[in-house]
Each structure stands twice: as C-alpha cells, then as structure tokens.
Amino acid sequence: HILALSAKPNFHLFVTLTGRNPKDYLFIKDAWGYTALHYLCRNNAPGSTSLLKYAIQLTVLERSERLGLHRWRAVLCDKVADFYSNAIFSTKSERIDEISYLLERYERKEILA
C-alpha cells in the first residue's frame, strides 16, 4: 500500500512484489478498508499511471481471458477502456470496485455452469 501511494513510484519493485500472486497484494485491505488499487487511483505522482495500468493488466485483463463467454470478456474490456476517461479519485475507485465485482461474479458463474 505504501508503494502504491508513493511520491516516487518504483515500477520495478512493484512488478517484483506483485509478480507471483498479484491478487494477494493488490486486493488485501488495510485497516481503513482500502486496497493497493485504491491507493494507485489516488496517486497522481509521475509514474503512478503506469503502475495502475500494470495492476489492471494483472488483475483484470489476464483473468478475463480465462472466461469462456466472449460477451463477458467484452464487457470487462469495455469497462477497463472507459476507466481512464475520468481522473477523479472517487470515480476511479468506484470503477475499480465495479470491475472487480463483475470479474468475480463472472468467475463464480462460470464455476457453477
């Protein structure tokens, strides 16, 4: 979480920490209920955008490729594409929550099918 909100984000360190189990590091909530993705949304430092794009690639796009229905993958890809259209923190955080919810919902439906 500290790295996600850093004034000088270190992309190499971020990749190293999240490389093995990105879900473990990016979705763990701290004492205030925020995840590393929420802090990345809040961070406006140079370099933070590349960290956020990398995190979304790891957590959403790679997992969505495993979904069987093309329609579900398309919905998630559209949500990710629309993610950067507004730079307001609360909107980014809400979009992260929405994208995460959809992905988890689709994954659960696929398991039950």
Side-chain angles (χ1 to χ4, degrees):
H1 294 115
I2 293 170
L3 182 59
L5 199 54
S6 173
K8 294 182 180 180
N10 184 325
F11 187 80
H12 179 68
L13 181 57
F14 188 81
V15 170
T16 302
L17 286 174
T18 58
R20 289 188 176 183
N21 296 313
K23 190 174 181 179
D24 292 345
Y25 294 103
L26 296 172
F27 289 109
I28 294 173
K29 293 184 179 182
D30 63 11
W32 295 276
Y34 293 114
T35 66
L37 286 175
H38 288 107
Y39 287 114
L40 280 172
C41 290
R42 184 178 288 176
N43 193 342
N44 291 320
S48 64
T49 302
S50 61
L51 291 181
L52 186 56
K53 287 181 181 180
Y54 176 75
I56 290 172
Q57 175 71 32
L58 280 178
T59 58
V60 177
L61 298 178
E62 287 184 9
R63 285 172 56 196
S64 70
E65 289 174 3
R66 294 183 224 134
L67 295 174
L69 287 177
H70 175 67
R71 178 174 41 111
W72 290 350
R73 290 192 307 267
V75 167
L76 286 168
C77 287
D78 288 345
K79 294 284 184 189
V80 169
D82 291 340
F83 180 78
Y84 294 102
S85 65
N86 193 332
I88 300 171
F89 163 68
S90 61
T91 303
K92 280 185 180 180
S93 290
E94 290 168 5
R95 288 180 181 184
I96 286 287
D97 290 340
E98 179 185 7
I99 290 168
S100 298
Y101 169 77
L102 280 174
L103 180 58
E104 290 174 11
R105 187 173 133 214
Y106 292 155
E107 287 173 334
R108 279 194 303 271
K109 283 184 174 183
E110 195 161 85
I111 290 170
L112 295 174

